[in-house]
Amino acid sequence: MDEDYSSGSQDAEREMARLWRTWRTVFEMLQDRGYEVTEEEVQIPFEQFKTKYSDGLGYPDRNKMKVSARPTEAMKAKYTPVKSKSNPNPQPECGTVYVEFCPDPTAVGTKQVRTFNHFVDEQNFHTGIFITQTPISPSAVRLLSGIPDRICEHFQEQDLLVNITRHELVPKHVLLSAEEKVRLLERYRLKESQLPRIQVSDPVARYLGLRRGQVVKIIRRSETAGRYASYRWVI
C-alpha cells in the first residue's frame, strides 16, 4: 500500500513538474506577445504552482488553469493599422486573450472545441488559446478557426514544454507595427510580396501569434558584423 502511494505520489510530482514548465512558457509567450502579465506570474515557483493547481491527490487540476490578460499600450500601438482616408481613426486589432488547459486526457474533438469557442465568443475575448494534452482532430482544428472576428489557436502541452525562442540558435523575432512596415517598404522601394517569407505555421510565428500580412524583423548575431537584421513577410 505504502509503495503504491509512493509511486502515485512520484507520478503526480512528475506530471505537475512537466505542466509547470508548460505553464511558465505560456506566460513567457503572453509577455513576449505584449500582454499585461507580471514577473511574478512568469516566474511562479514550482511549490506555489503545485499548491495552486493540484487536486487532492497532488495531480494537476486543469479545470483551475484558466488565464486572461489584456494587451499593453505598446501591443495596441503595434496592432493599430495605418491611418487612411477610409479609416481615419483606426482601432487596435488586438484585445484580451483567454487561455484554457483542456482537462480531457484523450479524444479531444469538436465537442470540446465548440464549448471553448462558445466561451471565447460569449465573453467577448479577442483571442483564445486552447491547450490540450493530445492532438485534436482536423475537423476540430477547422472549427477552432471558424469564429468571426475572433482568433483561436491550439497548442499541445508538449509544444510548450520548452520555450523555443530562448534557445541560443533561434534568432530574436520582433513584430513590426503597421507604420514600421510601411516605412520599411518605402525605404527599400519594395512590395511586401518581394520580401522573404515566413509561414504562420512556423514554430516561432505560432509562439508570437503572427498573422498573415504582418512583417517580422529577425535579428541575428554575426561574428563579423555584430548583429544584422532581415525581414520576413508572414503568409
Side-chain angles (χ1 to χ4, degrees), residues 10-162:
Q10 287 174 0
D11 288 345
E13 187 88 356
R14 273 195 296 270
E15 198 175 332
M16 286 302 298
R18 186 178 168 86
L19 201 53
W20 171 64
R21 288 165 60 193
T22 294
W23 180 259
R24 284 181 50 147
T25 301
V26 166
F27 273 91
E28 289 168 353
M29 182 170 77
L30 295 178
Q31 187 178 56
D32 289 343
R33 289 186 183 195
Y35 292 102
E36 291 179 356
V37 295
T38 65
E39 206 55 41
E40 288 74 18
E41 289 172 313
V42 176
Q43 302 290 344
I44 184 170
F46 176 57
E47 290 302 322
Q48 188 179 328
F49 174 78
K50 196 164 63 169
T51 301
K52 198 169 181 180
Y53 297 110
S54 62
D55 61 17
L57 296 173
Y59 284 93
D61 185 351
R62 290 172 175 82
N63 289 303
K64 296 177 182 176
M65 298 176 67
K66 297 175 171 66
V67 181
S68 65
R70 294 175 303 184
T72 59
E73 290 305 313
M75 184 180 183
K76 288 178 187 176
K78 196 159 272 197
Y79 277 81
T80 300
V82 176
K83 289 181 184 178
S84 64
K85 286 182 181 178
S86 60
N87 189 10
N89 187 28
Q91 297 302 303
E93 294 177 349
C94 63
T96 305
V97 65
Y98 170 70
V99 184
E100 180 180 304
F101 281 72
C102 180
D104 298 333
T106 56
V108 177
T110 54
K111 177 188 171 188
Q112 293 92 334
V113 167
R114 197 169 276 113
T115 302
F116 175 78
N117 281 358
H118 179 71
F119 185 79
V120 168
D121 200 35
E122 190 181 53
Q123 299 298 316
N124 202 29
F125 289 111
H126 181 275
T127 302
I129 300 176
F130 191 50
I131 301 175
T132 60
Q133 300 171 59
T134 56
I136 63 175
S137 66
S139 54
V141 172
R142 286 192 297 275
L143 186 63
L144 197 61
S145 58
I147 321 178
D149 303 320
R150 303 275 185 260
I151 294 170
C152 287
E153 307 167 37
H154 169 253
F155 290 89
Q156 275 183 248
E157 289 178 6
Q158 66 184 36
D159 296 339
L160 299 168
L161 268 174
V162 174

